[in-house]
Amino acid sequence: MVDLIGISAYQLLVFVHLLLFVLWLGADVGVFMLGQEFRRRHKHDLPQRLVLLQLLVNLDMVPRTAWALMVPLTISMVSAGGYWDVPQWGVALSWIVGAFWIALVWDAHLHDQTPRAARDRKIEFYLKIGLTVFYLGLGIVSLTAGEPLAMQWLALKALMFGIIFMAAIMIDVAFKPVGPQLIKLVNEGSSDETEIPLLKTMNRTRIWVWVVYALLLATAFLGNIKPTL
């Protein structure tokens, strides 16, 4: 591995990996807190809550972008660190997938509430399912066969990353009814009839959010401690 001013490519990738972890988890906690404030209808009037919701949607682009970048970064890291002899075309493919995913996420955000955004999110949904299968398969095969990831902690981390994908997909699935419920809230105003269904949807979504937080911390622990399993 060629060093750049005494720093290897692997070390740089690890730094970026840590940075993305901070952006993912930190910004997502901010999204969570904004969601908490939005729920407090007796503290904020509807226009204020809609502003909070817009801030939530905008801030949510940070963890979504970080998540997409984690895919090519993880493949590049295990290759550069010598944990997996990934062919160059495989590393390049991972960056193409990551770039395509980011393009879908931002295009949907910039064209929200349009057929184009709906198309982007549908494609993204199937892409995330494919990546879920990849990471789950990588982790399971490596844990049982000892390859391609020989280190068990790393194989377990890959498996857990796949489970993070599953939980994050469930966040989007659980949150899907919010759109129509928000439209009803805006059109009809705040009342038990419009607020309670929305609150129930947000409560269901929060379960999966907590699952993602727990798994992110667990994968960070494995990556830093690297226990001998």
Side-chain angles (χ1 to χ4, degrees), residues 1 9-10 13 75-84:
M1 183 62 62
Y10 176 70
L13 289 169
I75 300 301
S76 299
M77 280 179 58
V78 295
S79 176
Y83 294 108
W84 181 12

Side-chain angles (χ1 to χ4, degrees), residues 89-127:
W89 65 263
V91 176
L93 179 61
S94 71
W95 282 100
I96 293 172
V97 170
F100 179 60
W101 187 1
I102 291 173
L104 288 173
V105 168
W106 277 96
D107 193 62
H109 176 68
L110 296 173
H111 299 90
D112 199 18
Q113 304 299 322
T114 66
R116 177 171 173 171
R119 177 208 64 190
D120 288 339
R121 291 186 175 114
K122 184 175 182 179
I123 296 172
E124 184 195 2
F125 179 77
Y126 288 114
L127 176 63

Side-chain angles (χ1 to χ4, degrees), residues 7 12 35 41 47 51 84 124 129 137-138 148 151 153 157 217:
I7 303 173
L12 285 174
R41 60 171 167 144
V51 171
W84 181 12
E124 184 195 2
I129 289 177
L138 177 62
M151 301 290 185
W153 66 265
K157 189 175 179 180
L217 291 175

Side-chain angles (χ1 to χ4, degrees), residues 109-205:
H109 176 68
L110 296 173
H111 299 90
D112 199 18
Q113 304 299 322
T114 66
R116 177 171 173 171
R119 177 208 64 190
D120 288 339
R121 291 186 175 114
K122 184 175 182 179
I123 296 172
E124 184 195 2
F125 179 77
Y126 288 114
L127 176 63
K128 289 189 290 190
I129 289 177
L131 289 169
T132 300
V133 173
F134 168 75
Y135 280 102
L136 289 176
L138 177 62
I140 292 171
V141 169
S142 297
L143 284 171
T144 55
E147 58 181 20
L149 301 176
M151 301 290 185
Q152 285 199 317
W153 66 265
L154 186 57
L156 183 58
K157 189 175 179 180
L159 177 62
M160 293 176 68
F161 195 43
I163 299 174
I164 288 174
F165 268 84
M166 293 174 60
I169 288 172
M170 290 308 302
I171 290 175
D172 288 340
V173 171
F175 199 73
K176 192 173 182 178
V178 165
Q181 290 169 345
L182 277 174
I183 293 173
K184 185 175 181 180
L185 173 64
V186 172
N187 291 338
E188 300 180 14
S190 180
S191 66
D192 285 348
E193 184 182 353
T194 57
E195 295 279 4
I196 292 176
L198 178 59
L199 182 61
K200 288 181 178 179
T201 298
M202 296 184 77
N203 286 340
R204 285 194 297 269
T205 304

Side-chain angles (χ1 to χ4, degrees), residues 4 7-17 73:
L4 176 65
I7 303 173
S8 69
Y10 176 70
Q11 289 172 313
L12 285 174
L13 289 169
V14 170
F15 171 75
V16 177
H17 178 70
L73 198 70

